[in-house]
């Protein structure tokens, strides 16, 4: 896929692309550490193209880590954690 969502099979998929799937991602988003950072990086980009819900999973939230996050990022994570998605079109990761 190209950056705009188009591909060799569907070159018109870029602008105005309307995805039919959404993603619910399970990861230690509020815990800090390597996998947390990686998961935040992925969903930060993914939320630009499809609906995403995040679920804290795998470790306890770390209040010290959360207090150190930029307010915009913390806000985006909290919003993604309360997003409701249609079960019939949601992929769990």
């Amino acid at each position: 896929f190209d950056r705009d969502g188009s591909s060799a099979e569907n070159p018109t998929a870029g602008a105005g692309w309307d995805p039919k799937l959404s993603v619910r991602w399970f990861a230690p988003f509020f815990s800090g550490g390597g996998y947390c950072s990686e998961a935040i990086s992925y969903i930060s980009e993914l939320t630009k193209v499809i609906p995403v819900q995040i679920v804290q999973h795998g470790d306890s939230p770390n209040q010290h880590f959360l207090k150190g996050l930029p307010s915009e990022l913390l806000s985006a994570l909290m919003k993604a954690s309360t997003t409701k998605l249609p079960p019939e079109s949601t992929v769990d990761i």
Side-chain angles (χ1 to χ4, degrees), residues 29-33 36 60-71 73-74 77:
F29 289 102
F30 303 117
S31 303
C36 167
S60 299
N62 179 327
Q63 295 302 316
H64 182 70
F65 168 73
L66 294 174
K67 288 179 184 175
L69 287 176
S71 59
L73 177 56
L74 182 57
L77 290 172

Side-chain angles (χ1 to χ4, degrees), residues 19-31:
K20 302 298 182 214
L21 292 177
S22 51
V23 169
R24 183 180 307 113
W25 195 302
F26 294 79
F29 289 102
F30 303 117
S31 303

Side-chain angles (χ1 to χ4, degrees), residues 8-63:
E9 295 81 29
N10 190 1
T12 62
W17 180 56
D18 183 25
K20 302 298 182 214
L21 292 177
S22 51
V23 169
R24 183 180 307 113
W25 195 302
F26 294 79
F29 289 102
F30 303 117
S31 303
Y35 185 48
C36 167
S37 298
E38 183 180 6
I40 288 173
S41 292
Y42 276 114
I43 65 107
S44 293
E45 293 301 313
L46 199 55
T47 57
K48 295 176 184 178
V49 293
I50 63 172
V52 176
Q53 176 187 10
I54 65 170
V55 178
Q56 171 66 21
H57 179 75
D59 206 353
S60 299
N62 179 327
Q63 295 302 316

